[in-house]
Amino acid sequence: MRARNKWSKYLFLKQFREVAPYLPETQRMTKSAFWDFINQYGKVILKPVLGKGGAGVIQVSSLGNRKYKIHSENKKKTIKGKRRTYHYLKNKIRSSAYMIQRRISLATVRKRPFDMRIIVQRRKYSNSWNITAKAAKVAGKGYIVTNNTRSKGKMMHVETALQKSSLKDHSRRHLLSNVNKVALLSAKRLRIAFPSHRTYGMDMGLDKNGRVWIIETNHYPAISHFRKLGDKAMVYRIMSYQKG
């Protein structure tokens, strides 16, 4: 399994009964899978199997009456007709391998979706996984991706984001306990496929009801998120674990 292959990692994690409920339904992108997902969920995300940094992510929404809204970067386009819609998408993704995912309606901060980057690490000779850093990524205005650089979004401490979010009436302790549990569980399972790997960046989302979702798992997470947050203690902790 290649470390950057999102599809193979999804299939791997999906086989574990305790992790599967936290994975949004996903398929390889085909014409039939696309229309099945649109019919079932109404709103879907298309993402490159080998993509990174939010590049190439497309959201498609059914507007009814055979009209579909396509949202890529901060641009939106409405197309009428199934054939024209699919033709447009195929021209956008060309020969790249893509996957299609149910769109999770993420909780928001000031009406902008946010998710969390959770860093999970273990020491070189240890079997114990620990959460060493976490940050909230708030999408920039008009964007669907939360990637800070691509969407010109904002980094926030997770506790601050939750306090200001559409989930502010939920127990922050309970929400974070669930996020931590799922992040650690995912790292433990991924170790079966990648026994020597010691650092993961888990992109975790909370939907509008506070339910936890694994958006994707990253083998080589950037530390820049935490530098932008200005949290030197988190940066130091991540680097300390990476050294051993």
Side-chain angles (χ1 to χ4, degrees), residues 137-244:
K137 301 176 291 167
V138 185
K141 187 177 181 179
Y143 283 81
I144 51 166
V145 296
T146 59
N147 179 271
N148 187 247
T149 304
R150 183 164 295 278
S151 78
K152 305 174 185 65
K154 185 175 183 179
M155 300 299 302
M156 300 178 76
H157 283 92
V158 168
E159 290 80 359
T160 305
L162 289 174
Q163 193 173 2
K164 295 182 175 182
S165 78
S166 54
L167 297 173
K168 58 180 177 289
D169 294 333
H170 288 65
S171 161
R172 291 197 294 278
R173 180 182 294 179
H174 179 69
L175 292 173
L176 286 175
S177 173
N178 287 342
V179 168
N180 293 349
K181 178 188 75 174
V182 176
L184 290 166
L185 191 56
S186 302
K188 288 172 185 174
R189 293 298 170 252
L190 284 168
R191 190 179 180 187
I192 298 168
F194 305 100
S196 61
H197 202 72
R198 298 190 294 109
T199 296
Y200 289 104
M202 307 290 185
D203 283 336
M204 315 282 295
L206 290 164
D207 67 20
K208 292 185 176 182
N209 298 314
R211 180 175 171 180
V212 180
W213 295 94
I214 303 166
I215 296 169
E216 60 188 50
T217 61
N218 301 278
H219 264 63
Y220 307 104
I223 300 178
S224 58
H225 288 344
F226 303 97
R227 290 202 171 103
K228 286 176 184 173
L229 200 59
D231 196 316
K232 291 181 180 178
M234 282 189 192
V235 173
Y236 176 81
R237 200 157 52 240
I238 295 167
M239 294 177 73
S240 168
Y241 266 76
Q242 285 177 340
K243 287 174 185 172

Side-chain angles (χ1 to χ4, degrees), residues 76-158:
K76 299 176 185 176
K77 182 181 181 69
T78 300
I79 300 177
K80 184 159 188 177
K82 293 176 72 170
R83 190 181 63 80
R84 288 181 63 221
T85 299
Y86 194 76
H87 181 70
Y88 177 84
L89 290 171
K90 286 300 286 182
N91 278 343
K92 274 190 83 68
I93 67 180
R94 298 190 180 277
S95 60
S96 301
Y98 261 68
M99 47 200 260
I100 180 169
Q101 192 171 73
R102 170 192 173 190
R103 172 62 168 167
I104 300 301
S105 188
L106 291 172
T108 57
V109 172
R110 299 189 186 98
K111 298 185 179 180
R112 299 180 190 183
F114 79 96
D115 62 15
M116 293 160 282
R117 170 60 59 86
I118 312 294
I119 303 296
V120 187
Q121 296 178 283
R122 64 178 178 86
R123 300 281 186 189
K124 194 174 286 183
Y125 301 111
S126 172
N127 293 320
S128 176
W129 291 93
N130 295 290
I131 291 170
T132 53
K134 51 192 169 192
K137 301 176 291 167
V138 185
K141 187 177 181 179
Y143 283 81
I144 51 166
V145 296
T146 59
N147 179 271
N148 187 247
T149 304
R150 183 164 295 278
S151 78
K152 305 174 185 65
K154 185 175 183 179
M155 300 299 302
M156 300 178 76
H157 283 92
V158 168

Side-chain angles (χ1 to χ4, degrees), residues 27-45:
Q27 289 287 343
R28 282 297 294 265
M29 173 66 170
T30 65
K31 190 174 183 177
S32 61
F34 173 75
W35 291 116
D36 284 348
F37 269 53
I38 283 286
N39 291 335
Q40 187 172 357
Y41 300 116
K43 191 176 285 189
V44 300
I45 291 289

Side-chain angles (χ1 to χ4, degrees), residues 58-69:
I58 305 165
Q59 178 177 284
V60 185
S61 310
S62 173
L63 302 177
N65 197 28
R66 296 176 62 251
K67 286 184 180 177
Y68 303 92
K69 183 167 71 176

Side-chain angles (χ1 to χ4, degrees), residues 1-16 19 23-30 33-34 37 45-52 96-102 190 193-194 214-219:
M1 189 195 309
R2 291 173 64 184
R4 293 194 185 278
N5 189 308
K6 299 178 195 298
W7 172 241
S8 59
K9 283 194 285 186
Y10 168 82
L11 288 179
F12 178 77
L13 286 173
K14 188 76 175 173
Q15 69 183 308
F16 295 102
V19 179
L23 295 165
E25 189 64 34
T26 306
Q27 289 287 343
R28 282 297 294 265
M29 173 66 170
T30 65
F34 173 75
F37 269 53
I45 291 289
L46 311 181
K47 58 173 74 171
V49 168
L50 299 175
K52 62 178 182 177
S96 301
Y98 261 68
M99 47 200 260
I100 180 169
Q101 192 171 73
R102 170 192 173 190
L190 284 168
F194 305 100
I214 303 166
I215 296 169
E216 60 188 50
T217 61
N218 301 278
H219 264 63

